Amino acid sequence: MAGRRLLASGARSGRATPMPRELAHLSDEAVVALVSRSDEAALVELYDRFGGAAYALARRIVRDPELAEDVVQESFLSVWRGAGRFVPERARASSWLLTLVHRRAVDLVRREQRRRADPLGEAALPDGDERSAADEAWLRLERERVQEALARLPDQQRELLELAYFGGFTQSQLAERLGRPLGTIKSQMFAALARLRELLGPDPREESWTTS
Amino acid sequence: MDDELMHELVAGYALDALEPEQERAFEAHLARCAECREQLGGLTDTAGALAHAAPPARPPAELRARILESARAERAGVIPLRPRWAYPAAALAAVASCAAVALGVWIAVGSGTQRGLTALALHGAPGSLVRSSSGRATLVVSGLPAAPAGKTYEAWVMLPGRALPAGLFAANGRTVIVTLRRDVPTGAIVGVTLERAGGSPQPTGTPLVTSART
């Protein structure tokens, strides 16, 4: 039977008026399946779960609030249009949704040559939102967990991942920028991502699931 | 490029860092390399985790409403998938077990499948039937009240002239998710009846809920 998301399903994004959360007990995968068959309540639920993370990612990459909104909007609409049918084997629905956001954001950056490659910075959250404490805590823990894992990577590997993922640079562009052969970049990127995967270990959210 | 070198590109692919022609080459490789498909699942989760390292930022409150409005506006229109996800059909079986995972349950898609999943509407109650092309199916149905004492809900795979039992389930008025015990062949309908506790080999009444024909 379905895994139930207990902790991570709350509203993680700004919203003016709370809506009933009748889908709150469904897994992310179930919500995606419903969105891709045009279920409006599921679309809202999906947004409440991942809209905040999606926006933060888009904004980090495109660096422009309005463009970031466009990226998020188009990403959710692509799920609505039925792209939800194509999920890589075994990847979680949340990861997959974020790949849609990431892809759109880097496409935009590449098209508009708005590349940015600043190191990860800390930014304060603006005030005035009623996000639930549990969701806020979850996001913060997840951020700390990932940042700790990143910090444990060798500098060269961390730099490569950040430039690729947040900077939107392709492997060829990185080879040129960093003055390393393309083959080296490919190997290093593979080693870096595989190492990060090890460092992250099992997802702590799994522990917040119960199986009935 | 030979396959040995191709394997490494899985990281670049997961990070969207391949040049377009490399990306196409890798997708072709993905269609025939089970190892890379397996690895891509894990590395996609790693890339997804990386997203959480982005500095926190809150979307404006109106974005939520705007997305919902746009979705409603284009409900009627069907827009093609982005090329990135349009894997060769043969690859889909393995690459895309899919959204029907529905439900926290990874449906193991058979090796002979050629397409992803479809979700079919239900009649009689809100919900959907999510089915892989190999016939594995999950029923998502809302609003069925708890069965009366001594009764149970039973799902059926209904073919012309016969109905095959596909599992018993309980309901509580909310959404229930039922992985059917029997594959649903093309052309079948899935139905739900109320039966005596323990189930029945044949439906004894008119289905309360039916799916569209698969």
Side-chain angles (χ1 to χ4, degrees):
Chain A
M1 207 31 132
R4 293 180 176 201
R5 174 130 0 235
L6 296 182
L7 176 61
S9 62
R12 290 208 202 105
S13 43
R15 54 182 177 169
T17 46
M19 284 179 63
R21 298 289 300 275
E22 70 248 33
L23 299 174
H25 63 293
L26 289 184
S27 71
D28 297 339
E29 285 74 18
V31 173
V32 167
L34 291 175
V35 173
S36 64
R37 66 164 302 263
S38 301
D39 183 311
E40 286 182 12
L43 179 65
V44 170
E45 177 69 24
L46 190 69
Y47 181 81
D48 285 344
R49 292 187 190 190
F50 300 113
Y55 179 76
L57 174 62
R59 180 131 180 209
R60 172 66 181 83
I61 296 167
V62 302
R63 294 299 176 129
D64 177 289
E66 286 182 11
L67 285 176
E69 286 178 45
D70 290 346
V71 165
V72 172
Q73 177 166 341
E74 280 307 305
S75 302
F76 277 87
L77 289 176
S78 72
V79 180
W80 176 260
R81 289 165 196 154
R85 281 173 293 177
F86 300 89
V87 180
E89 203 169 13
R90 286 165 183 269
R92 286 194 303 269
S94 56
S95 311
W96 169 76
L97 178 69
L98 290 168
T99 66
L100 294 182
V101 173
H102 185 263
R103 178 51 183 237
R104 277 183 191 281
V106 298
D107 279 352
L108 198 65
V109 159
R110 285 173 194 162
R111 223 171 27 238
E112 305 201 357
Q113 299 186 319
R114 287 168 173 271
R115 287 178 208 114
R116 296 289 192 279
D118 314 336
L120 288 177
E122 274 302 326
L125 271 177
D127 295 329
D129 196 280
E130 79 306 339
R131 245 196 270 197
S132 81
D135 290 327
E136 193 71 71
W138 180 87
L139 272 185
R140 188 172 303 145
L141 286 174
E142 181 67 358
R143 185 172 308 113
E144 281 171 11
R145 184 176 83 96
V146 177
Q147 287 181 340
E148 270 168 30
L150 276 173
R152 289 172 63 193
L153 284 178
D155 290 347
Q156 211 177 43
Q157 290 190 350
R158 183 174 55 250
E159 179 190 41
L160 205 53
L161 291 186
E162 290 181 355
L163 286 172
Y165 192 73
F166 293 115
F169 290 94
T170 65
Q171 291 184 333
S172 306
Q173 290 168 335
L174 287 167
E176 194 175 327
R177 183 185 167 98
L178 300 173
R180 295 177 214 154
L182 181 57
T184 305
I185 294 288
K186 287 175 183 167
S187 307
Q188 286 176 338
M189 192 175 285
F190 181 82
L193 196 59
R195 179 72 185 129
L196 182 65
R197 185 183 179 186
E198 279 174 29
L199 288 170
L200 284 169
D203 188 325
R205 281 173 295 178
E206 302 297 332
E207 292 165 19
S208 71
W209 287 55
T210 58
T211 310
S212 55
Chain B
M1 182 182 281
D2 64 37
D3 279 3
E4 200 52 45
L5 293 169
M6 273 291 173
H7 295 323
E8 278 185 358
L9 293 184
V10 67
Y13 187 80
L15 294 167
D16 290 319
L18 300 185
E19 298 289 346
E21 62 275 19
Q22 290 250 289
E23 189 170 275
R24 281 192 294 276
F26 182 74
E27 285 178 349
H29 170 75
L30 210 49
R32 55 178 192 272
C33 181
E35 197 184 330
C36 283
R37 290 195 299 268
E38 167 78 23
Q39 204 157 30
L40 181 61
L43 292 182
T44 299
D45 283 340
T46 306
L50 208 43
H52 292 289
R58 261 180 209 153
E62 58 274 17
L63 180 58
R64 185 177 188 256
R66 199 157 71 230
I67 289 174
L68 186 57
E69 277 163 25
S70 307
R72 282 177 179 151
E74 67 174 50
R75 183 192 287 286
V78 175
I79 292 162
L81 298 174
R82 289 185 314 147
R84 172 172 169 82
W85 296 96
Y87 291 106
L92 285 178
V95 173
S97 333
C98 148
V101 243
L103 326 171
V105 182
W106 282 103
I107 293 177
V109 177
S111 58
T113 52
Q114 298 285 311
R115 288 169 199 221
L117 299 186
T118 48
L120 299 166
L122 301 183
H123 306 289
S128 61
L129 177 75
V130 184
R131 177 181 175 270
S132 76
S133 56
S134 67
R136 297 291 309 276
T138 304
L139 186 66
V140 184
V141 57
S142 302
L144 288 180
K151 297 277 191 177
T152 180
Y153 288 104
E154 185 159 7
W156 304 93
V157 173
M158 299 157 68
L159 295 160
R162 63 204 166 114
L164 305 167
L168 308 178
F169 64 96
N172 57 5
R174 305 186 63 181
T175 301
V176 290
I177 296 158
V178 184
T179 300
L180 300 185
R181 299 217 167 158
R182 180 183 295 278
D183 287 355
V184 180
T186 302
I189 288 172
V190 169
V192 173
T193 58
L194 205 50
E195 302 294 344
R196 65 171 189 277
S200 164
Q202 283 296 312
T204 58
T206 313
L208 307 167
V209 176
T210 51
S211 71
R213 191 175 296 279
T214 55

